[in-house]
Amino acid sequence: MTFKSAYIRLTIYYVLIVMSISIMFSVVIYRLSSREINRGLDRQVRVFQRMPHGQIIPDLEINIAKVHDDQLNESLDNLINQLFYFNLAILLLSAVGSYFFAKKTLEPIEEMVENQNHFTADASHELKTPLAAMRSEIEVGLRDKKFDLKSAKEMLESNLEEIERLESLSNALLKLARYQNEVQINFQKLSIENLIVSAYEKIESLAQDKKIVFDNKLEDFQIKGDRQSLIELFVILLDNAIKYSPEKSTVRILVQKEKDNILVKIKDEGIGIKASDQAHIFNRFYRSDSSRVKENFIGYGIGLSIAKRIIDLHDGKITVTSQPNEGSEFCVRLAISK
């Protein structure tokens, strides 16, 4: 069943409920009003009956019962017509209003289903790529009549690289799913300096391989948060800074206080991000422009999605400022612990 048909079905249910209530009230109003109209006409008849016969027009005295019935029928007909048009107006208004509210009610569910479908399609595509590469290499090797031990080792080494990519992707997907489904995380007082140092220790070897220097201006402030997830956040940002920076460049980390918030700025001297890409970099499986593809960077576009989810869980904010070929600066804003 499509969501459009779901809108219509839910609209019909809403309209049926509204019209049932409206018709019930109309029946009650009709009965009460007809009773009051009848009583009013009866009082008029009794007034005429108490008058001396000489003061009553003879024809009116004869037809007084008929006049009572005619007035009653005319009043009831008018009442029925008014209730009919009233219910018709309610039907039209409730149909429009119900469709609007039905759409509003189902929009979050529709968005969630669409996101899930996109996620499934993107994950399937990313999983198929290394599997297809492995299968192709194995098929070529099996068809090669000169396939020897050296060729077999080369093929196995290549397959191991693809397996590592699959493991990396599956771990990233598990992390993303965990943070998306996280209802409650363990908040405690934490040192922002300690978090950044712990994150740096995890990616230090990557920085050394590319001879990247870190210029740190850290101040030790206390924040409230989940230690493991915040370390994961800074690992992602530092890893990206290293990955997209040239060798022998500098990554700068600045920690400063701004009112009731702590700002952590991580700036690299890498390839940068186009303005048109910056609005999408926190989307799952989104990888920035073709310059990153040309540089053959390994990644699945999940890291920043995880970072954004961690920030959301801490009621914080993450922004990026970047220019192509001039580097990028990610700014994390977290509330200071009071």
Side-chain angles (χ1 to χ4, degrees):
M1 182 178 65
T2 64
F3 274 93
K4 188 173 183 180
S5 62
Y7 295 156
I8 294 172
R9 288 185 64 178
L10 193 56
T11 299
I12 292 171
Y13 294 148
Y14 286 161
V15 170
L16 287 175
I17 293 170
V18 171
M19 292 310 300
S20 297
I21 296 172
S22 178
I23 291 171
M24 287 173 59
F25 274 104
S26 296
V27 170
V28 172
I29 291 171
Y30 176 79
R31 289 184 176 178
L32 293 175
S33 299
S34 61
R35 191 179 302 166
E36 289 301 317
I37 292 171
N38 195 38
R39 285 178 181 174
L41 292 174
D42 285 343
R43 282 196 296 269
Q44 290 180 1
V45 169
R46 286 195 294 270
V47 169
F48 280 114
Q49 288 175 343
R50 285 197 295 268
M51 293 177 64
H53 290 288
Q55 297 180 9
I56 302 177
I57 301 172
D59 291 340
L60 181 59
E61 184 178 6
I62 296 170
N63 297 319
I64 193 167
K66 184 176 182 301
V67 171
H68 172 274
D69 293 339
D70 290 344
Q71 286 184 342
L72 179 61
N73 292 333
E74 183 180 353
S75 298
L76 293 179
D77 288 342
N78 289 334
L79 179 61
I80 290 172
N81 288 333
Q82 290 173 1
L83 290 174
F84 172 78
Y85 288 116
F86 177 74
N87 279 279
L88 181 61
I90 289 179
L91 175 62
L92 295 175
L93 291 174
S94 65
V96 174
S98 296
Y99 185 82
F100 173 78
F101 285 115
K103 194 171 183 180
K104 282 291 183 184
T105 301
L106 292 176
E107 268 180 358
I109 302 174
E110 183 179 12
E111 184 179 352
M112 181 185 68
V113 171
E114 286 181 357
N115 288 338
Q116 189 65 40
N117 290 338
H118 286 311
F119 177 78
T120 303
D122 292 337
S124 299
H125 173 75
E126 296 292 350
L127 288 168
K128 281 174 64 177
T129 302
L131 290 173
M134 291 170 63
R135 177 171 181 168
S136 177
E137 288 181 346
I138 293 171
E139 288 176 346
V140 170
L142 291 175
R143 287 198 299 265
D144 188 0
K145 295 181 179 179
K146 297 181 180 180
F147 192 70
D148 54 13
L149 182 59
K150 181 181 178 183
S151 299
K153 287 183 177 180
E154 290 175 353
M155 184 183 71
L156 290 174
E157 287 174 357
S158 177
N159 286 346
L160 280 174
E161 290 179 1
E162 298 297 339
I163 290 171
E164 287 177 1
R165 292 189 180 189
L166 283 172
E167 287 180 343
S168 175
L169 175 58
S170 62
N171 289 334
L173 290 173
L174 287 172
K175 286 178 183 178
L176 183 59
R178 180 166 67 88
Y179 286 121
Q180 284 182 327
N181 297 326
E182 197 91 51
V183 178
Q184 185 176 2
I185 52 180
N186 183 27
F187 278 80
Q188 54 185 307
K189 274 193 175 184
L190 300 168
S191 161
I192 192 71
E193 183 179 16
N194 181 265
L195 292 172
I196 294 172
V197 170
S198 299
Y200 172 77
E201 290 173 352
K202 291 179 179 293
I203 50 86
E204 185 177 7
S205 60
L206 299 176
Q208 291 174 350
D209 290 342
K210 294 185 72 172
K211 298 181 174 59
I212 289 177
V213 177
F214 275 78
D215 179 13
N216 303 325
K217 293 182 180 178
L218 307 182
E219 292 188 55
D220 195 15
F221 297 105
Q222 296 291 310
I223 62 170
K224 270 196 173 182
D226 177 72
R227 176 178 173 78
Q228 191 59 41
S229 61
L230 287 174
I231 291 176
E232 179 72 28
L233 164 69
F234 292 119
V235 166
I236 290 169
L237 297 179
L238 294 176
D239 179 70
N240 277 0
I242 295 169
K243 185 188 298 181
Y244 297 115
S245 294
E247 292 187 357
K248 299 180 180 179
S249 60
T250 301
V251 173
R252 293 175 174 82
I253 305 176
L254 172 65
V255 176
Q256 64 186 77
K257 182 181 178 182
E258 184 183 86
K259 296 182 180 179
D260 294 331
N261 297 310
I262 300 301
L263 302 185
V264 181
K265 298 181 179 180
I266 299 174
K267 181 175 177 56
D268 62 56
E269 298 175 350
I271 60 177
I273 307 168
K274 289 196 304 185
S276 58
D277 289 320
Q278 291 177 23
H280 308 288
I281 60 173
F282 297 106
N283 297 343
R284 290 174 305 196
F285 296 106
Y286 186 86
R287 280 169 287 189
S288 192
D289 62 32
S290 57
S291 63
R292 297 191 173 216
V293 177
K294 287 188 291 184
E295 294 291 340
N296 196 30
F297 293 112
I298 297 174
Y300 295 99
I302 299 178
L304 288 178
S305 296
I306 296 173
K308 180 65 166 63
R309 182 56 183 155
I310 293 171
I311 288 293
D312 290 342
L313 289 171
H314 288 80
D315 294 324
K317 187 176 181 180
I318 182 169
T319 56
V320 61
T321 305
S322 182
Q323 292 289 336
N325 302 315
E326 294 183 11
S328 303
E329 180 182 83
F330 284 85
C331 178
V332 173
R333 185 185 301 269
L334 295 166
I336 193 169
S337 177
K338 297 181 180 180

